[in-house]
Amino acid sequence: MDIPAELGDFLRSRRSRLQPEDVGLVSYGRRRVPGLRREELAQLAGVSVAYYTRLEQGQSQNASDAVLDSIARALRLTPDEHTHLRNLARPAGAARRPAPRPEHARRGTRQLVAALDVPALVLDARFDVLAWNRLGHALLAGHLAADSPYRPADRPNTQRMLFLDPHTRELYPDWEGEARRAVSSLRLTAGERPDDRQLAELVGELTMNSPEFGPLWARHPVRKCAFGTKSFHHPLVGRLELDFEMARLPETGGQALMMFSARPGSPSEAALGLLAASAVPASAASGTARTGTAAHERH
């Protein structure tokens, strides 16, 4: 990923959404482009125009916390956007990552996921599915093989599925909202992992093959979507409104456990019960899961 270009694009996108009157400035003259000018933002942030220009052009990678905090305040960044700004402004501080190799969910994590009676899955930092239980599989990808997370060559990726899989597109009645949420999470992750080649390849693949992804990516949305509510229109049980939570798993390099639940007594809870009754037995994938990760567990 071209970090200097990403930083400049991000700062320009955030300048463009603020007008002088939004921040207490008087607007003079006709503006060729919307938003704050560089000199106006520099004034608000308390830095020189020349310094801010170098930063926006990716020519200064040693900005202090104080300067970045001032720019974040001037741009009225959210906490997630502020974090993203720091990641882009100081990419040298990102940890160098070893050569990529297939990831696996820990045995204990897989056992936990299998034991849960709500839809659950394990994602790596690139949004690859490393494991799911039978309800997670039935909810999100019943059209895929239950053991696909345990075969790296066929491993599902939730971003790829959302933008390129027609079955997944039909699963979300508000597909556009789900797509915005997904790109916001992917943007934040890309800023955290600027040297992740596989993540960059995923972004390139989606840009080339999805007409909707490119324009969304260009807007630089940034938001950590670790909890909330998702709506589904499931082909077997119909409408579902499910709350979700994502929890980072310690010492895994960014893996997360994602779980869905329905409000007690709601129609969605009844629909989940119907889905559980129709889901494939857990044993359909457990044998492959044990075989596919046995060598990994020995190390």
Side-chain angles (χ1 to χ4, degrees):
M1 187 166 63
D2 187 345
I3 292 297
E6 291 289 328
L7 174 60
D9 287 347
F10 177 67
L11 289 171
R12 284 188 290 272
S13 74
R14 294 314 183 261
R15 278 200 294 115
S16 70
R17 70 182 184 183
L18 290 176
Q19 301 303 319
E21 53 269 26
D22 296 334
V23 293
L25 296 178
V26 178
S27 178
Y28 295 102
R30 184 177 180 181
R31 292 174 182 264
R32 292 176 295 176
V33 295
L36 294 178
R37 294 168 174 152
R38 284 176 176 169
E39 56 268 26
E40 291 169 335
L41 180 59
Q43 175 187 341
L44 290 170
V47 300
S48 71
V49 177
Y51 181 85
Y52 176 77
T53 300
R54 290 197 302 273
L55 183 66
E56 194 171 282
Q57 293 175 344
Q59 298 174 4
S60 176
Q61 296 186 3
N62 296 306
S64 67
D65 287 345
V67 167
L68 295 177
D69 291 348
S70 295
I71 291 173
R73 285 193 296 270
L75 289 171
R76 300 187 176 183
L77 300 185
T78 67
D80 290 338
E81 290 171 334
H82 192 167
T83 298
H84 188 62
L85 172 63
R86 286 194 178 197
N87 289 334
L88 294 179
R90 291 204 294 254
R96 295 292 115 186
R97 306 183 193 282
R101 62 178 182 177
E103 289 193 42
H104 299 279
R106 289 191 296 248
R107 180 181 59 213
T109 303
R110 297 196 310 273
Q111 291 170 176
L112 172 63
V113 168
L116 293 172
D117 59 0
V118 297
L121 62 156
V122 178
L123 300 173
D124 70 8
R126 305 177 189 93
F127 303 93
D128 285 344
V129 179
L130 304 182
W132 51 27
N133 61 10
R134 66 189 188 97
L135 259 179
H137 169 241
L139 174 66
L140 298 175
H143 61 292
L144 300 180
D147 65 346
S148 55
Y150 312 107
R151 302 193 307 268
D154 301 324
R155 186 169 283 165
N157 178 282
T158 57
Q159 296 273 351
R160 186 179 291 112
M161 290 166 60
L162 182 64
F163 284 96
L164 303 182
D165 184 344
H167 295 282
T168 303
R169 181 183 288 260
E170 293 174 0
L171 189 61
Y172 295 99
D174 180 19
W175 183 89
E176 290 81 7
E178 189 64 24
R180 288 193 297 270
R181 177 156 50 187
V183 173
S184 296
S185 294
L186 186 59
R187 265 289 181 193
L188 193 61
T189 301
E192 294 170 347
R193 305 170 69 91
D195 58 339
D196 191 319
R197 179 177 57 82
Q198 290 178 314
L199 191 63
E201 289 173 353
L202 174 63
V203 171
E205 176 188 355
L206 296 178
T207 301
M208 292 293 294
N209 296 311
S210 168
E212 298 93 350
F213 180 84
L216 280 174
W217 185 255
R219 296 176 196 167
H220 288 259
V222 178
R223 184 161 62 96
K224 184 182 295 182
C225 303
F227 61 91
T229 302
K230 289 179 183 277
S231 298
F232 300 90
H233 185 77
H234 197 274
L236 296 180
V237 299
R239 183 81 178 207
L240 291 157
E241 294 283 339
L242 301 178
D243 295 325
F244 73 93
E245 296 278 344
M246 288 188 70
R248 286 287 180 98
L249 298 171
E251 300 182 29
T252 61
Q255 293 179 17
L257 173 63
M258 187 173 193
M259 297 166 287
F260 296 87
S261 64
R263 296 183 182 180
S266 66
S268 294
E269 184 182 47
L272 268 186
L274 291 175
L275 187 61
S278 65
V280 297
S283 59
S286 61
T288 303
R290 287 193 297 268
T291 302
T293 57
H296 171 74
E297 293 292 353
R298 286 196 294 268
H299 294 285

